[in-house]
């Protein structure tokens, strides 16, 4: 792979990662309720992290770097949804969720 092509791919990956992370930050600030903010905080952040770590692996293509990048992405992809679920559940239990915007409230019929 030529250096010019690698630079272009690197620039695209870093720009995509930065845009996704920026979108996550703006979504957390601008969205109206907890559940929308959680969605904005997890999805674009994971994709941004994947793009930036892919750039790191592309520029430093060794077994150690690729293994570390894969571990970072896997652990982040496993822990971010679980953390968002726990925050969402805590927000629901403490009545910080707008129930008027929920389409289906599966937790509304459970006894407390």
């Amino acid at each position: 792979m030529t250096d010019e092509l690698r630079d272009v791919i690197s620039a695209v990956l870093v720009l995509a990662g930065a845009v996704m992370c920026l979108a996550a930050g703006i979504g957390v600030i601008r969205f109206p309720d907890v559940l929308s903010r959680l969605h904005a905080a997890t999805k674009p952040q994971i994709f941004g992290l994947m793009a930036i770590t892919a750039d790191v692996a592309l520029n430093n293509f060794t077994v150690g770097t690729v293994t570390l990048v894969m571990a970072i992405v896997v652990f982040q992809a496993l822990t971010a949804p679980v953390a968002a679920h726990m925050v969402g559940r805590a927000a629901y239990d403490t009545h910080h969720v707008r129930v008027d915007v929920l389409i289906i409230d599966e937790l509304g019929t459970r006894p407390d």
Side-chain angles (χ1 to χ4, degrees), residues 87-97 99 102 105 107-110:
V87 170
R89 189 64 174 261
Y92 186 86
D93 288 342
T94 58
H95 306 291
H96 286 88
V97 174
V99 292
L102 295 178
D105 187 7
L107 297 175
T109 59
R110 67 185 174 108

Side-chain angles (χ1 to χ4, degrees), residues 44-64:
Q45 186 264 340
I46 293 286
F47 292 136
L49 177 77
M50 289 170 66
I52 290 173
T53 55
D55 176 55
V56 169
L58 178 72
N59 286 321
N60 187 10
F61 195 73
T62 63
V63 174

